[in-house]
Amino acid sequence: MSNKEWPLWEVFIRSKQGLNHKHAGSLRAADEIMAIENARDVYTRRSEGVSIWVVESKNIFASNPDEADSLFEPADSKIYRHPTFYEVPDGIEHM
Amino acid sequence: MKEENIEELERQFQEKIDNDIKIEPRDWMPDNYRKTLIRQISQHAHSEVVGMLPEGNWITRAPNLRRKAVLLAKVQDEAGHGLYLYSATETLGADREDTIDDLHDGTAKYSSIFNYPTLTWADMGAIGWLVDGAAIMNQVPLCRCSYGPYARAMVRICKEESFHQRQGFEIMTTLANGTPEQKAMAQDALNRFWWPALMMFGPNDADSPHTAQSMKWKIKRHTNDELRQQFVDVTVPQAELIGLTVPDPDLKWNEETGHYDFGPINWDEFWAVVNGNGPCNKERIDARRKAKEDGEWVREAANAYAAKKRTKKAS
Ligand SMILES: [Fe+2]
Ligand SMILES: [Fe+2]
């Protein structure tokens, strides 16, 4: 990394208590404290968050979109994982 | 990669686009799609950033504290918009610093409207009302752009833009209802910004060779002329309502088409400004360059401080 550029960070924001942190975008910052402060200014100017996570982008490992078909194939063939697979006799309630 | 392979990949890519499946950063995409997006998104980012300058010019001279707080918040939003968009170009593999350097050495373009000076306080009204208004018209369809990160950035931007236009229109309304001098000031701002605002939509469709491909890729959803017409149709009644006159002798409601007819645009002026010869081109780029150069030691110091903290932690 050159001395002039700041590393890239991914920003995750919890919009309110009870919800997951969700990816909001990315930004550049010299360190994690500046990343959180910048994230506050860039992504929560209208009270969009109650909590912020920042992760340096280089630490994120992602699945390869070209292999998505084979990666997710095992789930496609197992329709018995869904309740609609099962027959429920007429007259049965609360199930 | 073999030629037939590329053809097949391009076919699959277009099929995704046709089925409204968004393209995400690591998906395969044609080189030209990537290049077109990098060019368009970075131009858009530059416009947000350069766009802060004509308004920043009036922050310290706003007529009261409320107007000052509002203008400050608006200009801060524009900085945010620039950041969301530079981030989107980075997802396409563009280097942020290179992109910014392209702006500074004149290779990259930005919206020509920001090369006009802001002479009076009424210009803050005209810019919010007309320039942000035109930007919104351009940007709302971009929320459905085929490239995911750009579309998501545009959703955020459009949410924030709506107050920009309203605060501008409020300034114009207040001036138009004020003393004769204030009303004249509002009219003068409208006179100066009307035509440059219409130019913001870009050349006529006949002179816009890339439109067809961009529409096929769903980067663009409407042509320049369609959006310009839409802008005229909604803006003219707003001007009438506050008692201002749109500076176009040819402007006339057309019963048959259901649209306003309007006079010819001075494209010579448009191209002169785009090619660097507008009233403020040099001033704008000089200001951006100076900001980058003056901030360099701060960015270096922040990096040095972060490195020092890391070594402390490690030891
Ligand atoms: Fe903006
Ligand atoms: Fe705006």
Side-chain angles (χ1 to χ4, degrees), chain B residues 48 74 78 81 132 161 164:
Chain B
E48 302 282 355
K74 184 209 187 262
E78 306 301 4
H81 298 173
D132 289 79
E161 283 295 343
H164 297 181

Side-chain angles (χ1 to χ4, degrees), chain B residues 48 55 74-75 77-78 81 114 127-128 131-133 135-136 139 157 160-165 167:
Chain B
E48 302 282 355
E55 291 180 301
K74 184 209 187 262
V75 172
D77 273 354
E78 306 301 4
H81 298 173
F114 301 119
I127 287 183
V131 177
D132 289 79
I136 292 169
Q139 290 171 354
I157 289 177
E160 300 179 352
E161 283 295 343
S162 51
F163 112 73
H164 297 181
Q165 193 187 17
Q167 64 86 36

Side-chain angles (χ1 to χ4, degrees), chain B residues 134-162:
Chain B
I136 292 169
M137 211 131 257
N138 255 324
Q139 290 171 354
V140 168
L142 288 174
C143 296
R144 294 187 297 130
C145 167
S146 59
Y147 186 59
Y150 191 28
R152 291 192 287 273
M154 291 318 306
V155 169
R156 293 187 65 88
I157 289 177
C158 286
K159 264 190 207 150
E160 300 179 352
E161 283 295 343
S162 51

Side-chain angles (χ1 to χ4, degrees), chain A residues 3 26 28 31 45-46 62, chain B residues 77 87 90 160 303 309:
Chain A
N3 192 30
S26 52
R28 298 224 165 227
D31 60 26
R45 286 195 303 284
R46 287 172 177 77
Chain B
D77 273 354
S87 296
E90 286 191 285
E160 300 179 352
N303 258 342
K309 267 197 315 184

